[in-house]
Amino acid sequence: MNKLIIILFLILSFSSCQKKSKLKINESEFKGKTFNAYSSSEIDTLIIDFQDSTHQIFGGLWSGKIPWRISHYDETNILVLDNRLIGIKINPDNSLDCISIGLTDKPFKMSERKPKWKKDYLYGTWIEEKFIETDSTDFPPPPRTQNLKINWPPSYTITEKEIVFDYYKKSESKIQIPNSADFIQMNLRHPLFNQTDYNWIIEYLSDDLMVVIKDFEVEQLNNNTRDSEKIRLIKKR
């Protein structure tokens, strides 16, 4: 009888340990990953990018990088985003049920935004396909360029931290690229065209070709307008 009791105790203990290990979430679940955060009470989906010790929330323009960590209390997993506490539970499909703890608790869900492209392919100098093997005389010049030296063909140079557009004048912007590498946020002004690129959605990316939808804002006398266009870019060798 005693032997049977001991065996049952060991089985129950092992099952309990297995249950706890499945419930526990570690920082490896988040590091180097991008998540969509959404709830039934909010229209917009937040995109949260996790680095080793900081996280980034993408919006109309990016917010600063903020510390994060995982904590545990008893069997509860807690995601700490700066001074916000979020209880989290992992589901069988690896999505997360979350609740932001405050005077009013706010439930929401998170799911990983899987990487679509290899981020390293972005870095380098890119030329729009329509300018390949052409001459500057094939295209009408922008206004106010009579005394300016042209850099032909126009090019975009992308590094980890910035994008530079080189045409008649150089313009540059800091950039933010999520771990999922499916878009680039920027504030790249083209003064000759009164236009500012603020988001590139990457539809295709290889080490030779990039297809993006450029979201941009055009400055007008009475009010600014927003538009988008698809462009194909070839990497310069």
Side-chain angles (χ1 to χ4, degrees):
M1 179 64 72
N2 289 338
K3 187 176 179 181
L4 179 61
I5 292 172
I6 291 171
I7 292 171
L8 288 172
F9 176 77
L10 290 172
I11 291 171
L12 289 172
S13 298
F14 178 74
S15 299
S16 177
C17 288
Q18 275 197 321
K19 184 179 179 182
K20 285 185 179 180
S21 65
K22 288 181 181 178
L23 287 171
K24 191 171 183 179
I25 296 176
N26 297 311
E27 291 182 349
S28 60
E29 301 280 350
F30 292 89
K31 282 183 181 179
K33 297 179 181 180
T34 304
F35 286 81
N36 290 329
Y38 49 93
S39 72
S40 56
S41 61
E42 299 289 340
I43 297 174
D44 296 328
T45 297
L46 284 179
I47 300 173
I48 307 176
D49 205 53
F50 289 90
Q51 306 299 333
D52 284 350
S53 61
T54 60
H55 76 284
Q56 177 83 52
I57 298 177
F58 290 88
L61 281 177
W62 55 87
S63 61
K65 291 187 176 181
I66 303 169
W68 73 277
R69 67 184 181 91
I70 293 290
S71 183
H72 302 96
Y73 179 75
D74 196 10
E75 293 183 9
T76 303
N77 302 292
I78 301 170
L79 173 62
V80 183
L81 300 182
D82 195 19
N83 58 356
R84 289 173 293 176
L85 301 180
I86 299 170
I88 50 177
K89 182 183 74 173
I90 192 165
N91 295 314
D93 62 355
N94 290 324
S95 66
L96 301 170
D97 288 333
C98 309
I99 185 161
S100 180
I101 302 167
L103 293 176
T104 303
D105 293 340
K106 296 180 179 179
F108 63 97
K109 289 184 176 291
M110 289 175 63
S111 59
E112 186 182 353
R113 197 179 177 99
K114 297 288 186 181
K116 295 185 71 173
W117 319 111
K118 190 174 180 179
K119 190 187 288 190
D120 288 348
Y121 286 165
L122 287 169
Y123 307 138
T125 298
W126 298 85
I127 298 168
E128 198 170 340
E129 189 177 53
K130 67 180 181 181
F131 296 131
I132 299 292
E133 297 181 354
T134 62
D135 188 83
S136 61
T137 56
D138 296 332
F139 297 86
R144 308 186 303 277
T145 58
Q146 290 81 358
N147 300 318
L148 297 177
K149 180 183 176 182
I150 188 172
N151 297 295
W152 191 264
S155 65
Y156 296 92
T157 298
I158 300 174
T159 67
E160 291 185 16
K161 295 184 178 180
E162 69 175 6
I163 182 170
V164 177
F165 178 61
D166 193 359
Y167 189 16
Y168 282 91
K169 293 182 176 180
K170 277 189 178 182
S171 55
E172 58 188 50
S173 168
K174 292 181 179 179
I175 58 174
Q176 293 288 345
I177 306 170
N179 294 312
S180 53
D182 54 343
F183 66 86
I184 309 174
Q185 286 195 341
M186 64 189 73
N187 188 25
L188 183 66
R189 192 166 186 272
H190 304 277
L192 294 176
F193 304 100
N194 296 322
Q195 175 182 313
T196 300
D197 294 0
Y198 60 89
N199 192 52
W200 284 14
I201 300 170
I202 302 171
E203 288 202 331
Y204 177 81
L205 178 65
S206 71
D207 198 28
D208 301 300
L209 172 67
M210 175 163 55
V211 181
V212 304
I213 295 177
K214 282 202 318 180
D215 294 328
F216 58 89
E217 185 170 85
V218 180
E219 300 170 17
Q220 296 181 334
L221 186 62
N222 296 323
N223 64 314
N224 296 347
T225 60
R226 291 195 166 190
D227 206 344
S228 61
E229 66 171 328
K230 181 183 289 192
I231 63 171
R232 293 168 60 90
L233 298 157
I234 307 297
K235 183 172 279 188
K236 185 177 179 180
R237 298 298 181 184

